[in-house]
Amino acid sequence: MFIRFITTGGTIDKIYFDDLSQFEVGESQVQHILHEGLVGFDYEVVPLLHKDSLDITQEDRQMLHDHIAADDGDRYVVTHGTDSMAETARALADLEDKVIVLTGALSPARFRSTDAVFNVGMAVAAVQVAGPGVYIAMSGQVFEAGHVRKNRAQNRFESA
Amino acid sequence: MFIRFITTGGTIDKIYFDDLSQFEVGESQVQHILHEGLVGFDYEVVPLLHKDSLDITQEDRQMLHDHIAADDGDRYVVTHGTDSMAETARALADLEDKVIVLTGALSPARFRSTDAVFNVGMAVAAVQVAGPGVYIAMSGQVFEAGHVRKNRAQNRFESA
Amino acid sequence: MFIRFITTGGTIDKIYFDDLSQFEVGESQVQHILHEGLVGFDYEVVPLLHKDSLDITQEDRQMLHDHIAADDGDRYVVTHGTDSMAETARALADLEDKVIVLTGALSPARFRSTDAVFNVGMAVAAVQVAGPGVYIAMSGQVFEAGHVRKNRAQNRFESA
Amino acid sequence: MFIRFITTGGTIDKIYFDDLSQFEVGESQVQHILHEGLVGFDYEVVPLLHKDSLDITQEDRQMLHDHIAADDGDRYVVTHGTDSMAETARALADLEDKVIVLTGALSPARFRSTDAVFNVGMAVAAVQVAGPGVYIAMSGQVFEAGHVRKNRAQNRFESA
C-alpha cells in the first residue's frame, strides 16, 4: 500500500515563536506523526501549500485538484486548515477513481494536547478502507464531501 | 453513530510505579485518547479484562466473544495486548453482522511518544467505514482477521 | 517552606484557539507544572496580571512591587513574559529581605516541547537556595537583576 | 559556567519495549531535557553507570566518588535512581570544594507526565547557586546530603 500525503498548512502545522512574532504555519507535522504511529506502509509527503485555511483561494483549490488529477496515485491524505476544509473537499469531489481524505486539527500538532495525531490516524485508516470518493476525517468521524460542515460555535465538524 | 469500546489490558494501558514495582496494566487510556481526539460521537467504554496479552486464555477469548455476541451494538473497538491480538481476532471471526476492530500499542499510551493515539484513531475510522467483519488496526494498516501476524523481530504487524 | 507564585501572563501561559482567533494568554500553567513536578512544599498561586510582556506598563511594575512589599512572604516566583522580564526585575531590585525569582518561557507551557517546566523547576530551586535578592531563571541560568538581558536575535537570556 | 552531568541509571532513564520485555534502563534523557530547556551554558554528559538504584553497590559509589574527586570540574549534576539516592549522596559528602547535586525521577522522563524535567531544572539551578556541598533536588526541594530520605509510602523525598 502507498499513500501520498499532501500538506497545505492550517492549524495542524502552526508554530509559535515569541512575543513579537505571531503564530505561524511551520513545517509539516505529518512526517513526525507517522513516525510516532510506527506505520509500516510506504508513503511520500508533498508540501503543496503553506497557508491558513481562510487564505486558501479558488486558484489554490484548482491547483490542488489538478495536482491530484495528474498524479499517478490512488490514495491521498490532504492536511488542511479547518475553516475552509469542507469547501476544499467539495472542490475535489469530481475526482473519481481516487480515495481522498482531508484532515487537520483544531489545536496544533506541536501542543501537548492535540487532536492532530488522532485525526491523521483516522485519515490513514479511512483512505485504505473506504471506496473511491472524497472524505473529511475530523471530530472522530469520517464524513463524505458535501455532507459536512464545521460548526464554529461548537468548534467541531458535523453532518450537513 | 455509537461505538462501544471494550478494553482488555495490554501495553496500551501499561503504567509504571517505581523501582520496587513492576510495569503493570493500569486503568484504560481510551477515554483520555477520545477526549483528546475531540470526538463528536456517542460511545461507552467497557473494561472487560485487565491482562497482558500473553496471559489471555481461550476462556477469556470465549467470554469476549460471547459478550459481543449478546450485545446489542453494531460497532466495537477492542483494545488488546499485541502479542496475542491476532489470535483473539481469529476467535471473533465468526461474529457476523458486526464490525469489530482490535487495536493496541507497541509503547504505552502514557509515554510522551506512543503509537496508542494514532492506533485508536485508525480503529475509530475503520469501525465506521468498513463493512461487517473483524479487523486489526496496527502499524498504520487495517488488516482482516486471519490475514495478519505480529512480526516480533521487527516489532510490527504485517500481512500473513 | 512556603513559596508564593505570582503570575503576570506572557508566553508561558499562551493558549491557542483556532484560525479565526489569536494566540492569547490563558490561565496559569504554574499549578499544572508544580503538580507534575510532584512538589512537596506549600505554595499559593496568585494571578496578578494577564498580559503580554510588551504590554506591561510602569504602573503594572509598581503594582507588582507594592504587592510583594506589602506581602508577608519571604520567597516569590514571578512568571512573566520574556521581552520585558529584565526590566521588571530591575523594578523590584530595591525589595530587600525577600528572595524573588522571575521566570517564564520562550515557548508556551502547553506545547509538547517547551522550556516552561525546566524554567519553573530552576526558579523553585533558586528561590530556596539563593540569598535575598532579585533573580531571573532562564536559558538554564540564574542571573542577578540588572546583570541580564534577553538577546532577541539568539532568542535567549545572557549576562549583561 | 560549565556543568558536568554524570548519569548512573534509575527510573529517570527507564525505557519500555514490549510485552515480552521488561522495563529497562535506556540511554540518558538528560541531553534531551537540556535541549528542551533551551540552556545556554556549556556542559558534558558522562554516562558512568546504567543501573537501577537498588543494584548500586558500595563499589559503584566508591567509583563515582573517585571519578568526581579526580575530575577537574566544580559543578556536578548526578542523575540516579531514587531508592538509594540518599545513600549515594552521603557517600559523596566528604568531597569538599565541589558543588554536587543528585536528582532523578519518580516516573520515567519518557512519560507524557513526569517529574524528570522539573527535577533536572531544579538541579541545574541549585548547582550554580548553592555553595560547595552535596545536595538532593527532588520533590520540589533542595536537601542537604545526610538530611534527607525517600518516604516510600508517600513516594516523595522529605527532610530527615
Side-chain angles (χ1 to χ4, degrees):
Chain A
M1 184 182 61
F2 180 85
I3 301 176
R4 190 155 279 135
F5 293 82
I6 301 177
T7 68
T8 69
T11 294
I12 189 171
D13 288 334
K14 284 288 177 72
I15 194 170
Y16 179 73
F17 297 101
D18 64 24
D19 285 11
L20 291 182
S21 305
Q22 290 306 313
F23 205 60
E24 295 178 10
V25 175
E27 64 175 26
S28 169
Q29 290 292 294
V30 164
Q31 191 96 38
H32 177 75
I33 291 170
L34 296 173
H35 182 74
E36 192 167 271
L38 304 177
V39 306
F41 56 79
D42 295 321
Y43 64 88
E44 186 188 10
V45 179
V46 180
L48 195 67
L49 288 168
H50 207 68
K51 287 191 173 186
D52 263 351
S53 185
L54 296 171
D55 298 331
I56 291 201
T57 63
Q58 291 307 330
E59 289 69 36
D60 293 330
R61 291 192 176 91
Q62 191 61 46
M63 180 181 67
L64 173 63
H65 177 281
D66 296 350
H67 182 92
I68 295 177
D71 195 83
D72 62 355
D74 300 314
R75 296 184 172 92
Y76 299 85
V77 171
V78 179
T79 62
H80 195 287
T82 58
D83 282 309
S84 71
M85 191 189 288
E87 193 172 344
T88 298
R90 279 195 304 272
L92 303 176
D94 70 325
L95 288 167
E96 299 176 352
D97 304 330
K98 306 210 181 222
V99 196
I100 303 169
V101 183
L102 290 87
T103 195
L106 295 168
S107 68
R110 284 178 182 79
F111 270 37
R112 177 195 275 253
S113 179
T114 174
D115 54 329
V117 182
F118 189 93
N119 292 346
V120 174
M122 280 205 301
V124 161
V127 85
Q128 60 191 286
V129 173
V134 181
Y135 308 88
I136 282 183
M138 287 294 295
S139 300
Q141 289 164 271
V142 183
F143 304 95
E144 287 185 54
H147 299 84
V148 53
R149 70 171 162 231
K150 180 178 176 185
N151 179 329
R152 280 195 49 79
Q154 301 282 333
N155 202 27
R156 70 175 182 213
F157 283 73
E158 58 190 23
S159 298
Chain B
M1 185 182 61
F2 180 85
I3 301 176
R4 190 155 277 136
F5 294 82
I6 301 177
T7 69
T8 70
T11 293
I12 191 171
D13 287 335
K14 284 287 177 73
I15 194 169
Y16 178 72
F17 296 101
D18 64 24
D19 285 10
L20 291 182
S21 305
Q22 291 304 314
F23 207 60
E24 295 177 11
V25 175
E27 65 175 27
S28 169
Q29 290 291 294
V30 164
Q31 190 97 38
H32 178 75
I33 292 171
L34 296 173
H35 182 74
E36 192 166 272
L38 304 177
V39 306
F41 56 79
D42 294 321
Y43 64 88
E44 185 188 12
V45 180
V46 180
L48 195 67
L49 288 169
H50 208 66
K51 287 191 174 186
D52 264 352
S53 186
L54 296 170
D55 297 332
I56 290 200
T57 63
Q58 291 306 331
E59 289 68 37
D60 292 330
R61 291 191 176 92
Q62 191 61 46
M63 180 181 68
L64 174 62
H65 177 282
D66 295 350
H67 182 93
I68 296 176
D71 195 83
D72 62 355
D74 300 314
R75 297 183 171 93
Y76 300 85
V77 171
V78 179
T79 62
H80 196 285
T82 58
D83 283 308
S84 71
M85 190 188 289
E87 194 173 344
T88 298
R90 279 195 304 273
L92 304 176
D94 70 325
L95 287 168
E96 299 176 351
D97 303 331
K98 306 211 180 220
V99 196
I100 304 170
V101 183
L102 290 86
T103 195
L106 295 168
S107 68
R110 284 178 182 80
F111 270 38
R112 177 194 274 250
S113 179
T114 174
D115 54 329
V117 182
F118 189 92
N119 293 346
V120 174
M122 281 205 300
V124 161
V127 85
Q128 60 191 285
V129 174
V134 181
Y135 308 88
I136 282 183
M138 288 292 295
S139 299
Q141 290 165 270
V142 182
F143 304 95
E144 286 185 55
H147 299 85
V148 54
R149 70 171 163 231
K150 181 178 176 185
N151 179 330
R152 281 196 48 79
Q154 300 281 333
N155 202 28
R156 70 174 181 214
F157 282 73
E158 58 190 23
S159 298
Chain C
M1 186 182 64
F2 181 84
I3 300 176
R4 190 155 276 137
F5 294 82
I6 300 177
T7 69
T8 69
T11 294
I12 191 172
D13 287 334
K14 285 287 178 74
I15 194 169
Y16 179 73
F17 296 102
D18 64 24
D19 285 9
L20 291 183
S21 305
Q22 291 305 314
F23 206 59
E24 295 178 10
V25 175
E27 65 175 27
S28 169
Q29 290 292 294
V30 164
Q31 189 97 39
H32 177 74
I33 291 171
L34 296 173
H35 182 74
E36 192 166 270
L38 303 177
V39 306
F41 56 80
D42 294 322
Y43 63 89
E44 186 188 11
V45 180
V46 180
L48 194 67
L49 290 168
H50 207 65
K51 287 192 174 187
D52 264 353
S53 186
L54 297 170
D55 297 332
I56 290 201
T57 63
Q58 291 307 329
E59 288 70 35
D60 292 330
R61 291 192 175 92
Q62 191 62 46
M63 179 181 67
L64 173 63
H65 177 282
D66 295 350
H67 182 93
I68 296 177
D71 196 83
D72 62 355
D74 299 314
R75 297 183 171 94
Y76 299 85
V77 171
V78 179
T79 62
H80 196 286
T82 58
D83 283 308
S84 71
M85 191 188 289
E87 194 172 344
T88 298
R90 278 195 304 273
L92 303 176
D94 69 326
L95 287 167
E96 299 176 350
D97 304 330
K98 306 212 180 218
V99 195
I100 303 170
V101 183
L102 290 86
T103 195
L106 295 168
S107 68
R110 284 178 182 80
F111 271 38
R112 177 194 274 250
S113 179
T114 174
D115 54 330
V117 182
F118 189 92
N119 292 347
V120 174
M122 280 205 300
V124 161
V127 85
Q128 60 191 286
V129 173
V134 181
Y135 308 88
I136 282 183
M138 287 294 295
S139 300
Q141 290 164 270
V142 182
F143 303 94
E144 286 184 53
H147 299 84
V148 54
R149 70 171 163 232
K150 180 177 176 185
N151 179 330
R152 280 197 49 80
Q154 301 281 334
N155 203 27
R156 70 173 180 214
F157 282 73
E158 58 190 23
S159 297
Chain D
M1 186 183 61
F2 180 84
I3 301 176
R4 190 154 278 135
F5 293 82
I6 300 177
T7 68
T8 69
T11 294
I12 190 172
D13 287 335
K14 285 288 177 72
I15 194 169
Y16 179 74
F17 295 101
D18 65 24
D19 285 9
L20 291 183
S21 305
Q22 291 305 313
F23 205 60
E24 296 177 10
V25 175
E27 64 175 27
S28 170
Q29 291 292 293
V30 164
Q31 190 95 40
H32 177 74
I33 292 171
L34 295 173
H35 182 74
E36 193 166 271
L38 304 176
V39 306
F41 56 79
D42 294 321
Y43 64 88
E44 186 188 10
V45 180
V46 180
L48 195 67
L49 288 169
H50 208 65
K51 287 191 174 186
D52 263 352
S53 185
L54 297 170
D55 297 331
I56 290 201
T57 63
Q58 291 306 330
E59 288 69 36
D60 293 330
R61 292 192 175 91
Q62 191 61 45
M63 180 181 67
L64 173 63
H65 177 282
D66 295 350
H67 181 92
I68 295 176
D71 196 82
D72 62 355
D74 299 315
R75 296 184 172 92
Y76 299 86
V77 170
V78 179
T79 62
H80 196 286
T82 58
D83 282 310
S84 71
M85 190 188 289
E87 194 173 345
T88 298
R90 279 195 304 272
L92 303 176
D94 70 326
L95 287 167
E96 300 176 349
D97 304 330
K98 307 213 180 219
V99 195
I100 304 169
V101 182
L102 291 86
T103 194
L106 294 168
S107 69
R110 284 178 183 81
F111 270 38
R112 178 194 272 252
S113 178
T114 174
D115 54 331
V117 182
F118 189 92
N119 292 346
V120 174
M122 280 206 300
V124 162
V127 86
Q128 61 191 284
V129 174
V134 181
Y135 309 88
I136 282 182
M138 288 293 295
S139 299
Q141 290 164 270
V142 182
F143 304 95
E144 287 185 55
H147 300 83
V148 54
R149 69 171 165 232
K150 180 178 176 185
N151 179 330
R152 278 196 51 79
Q154 300 282 334
N155 203 27
R156 70 173 181 214
F157 283 71
E158 59 189 22
S159 298

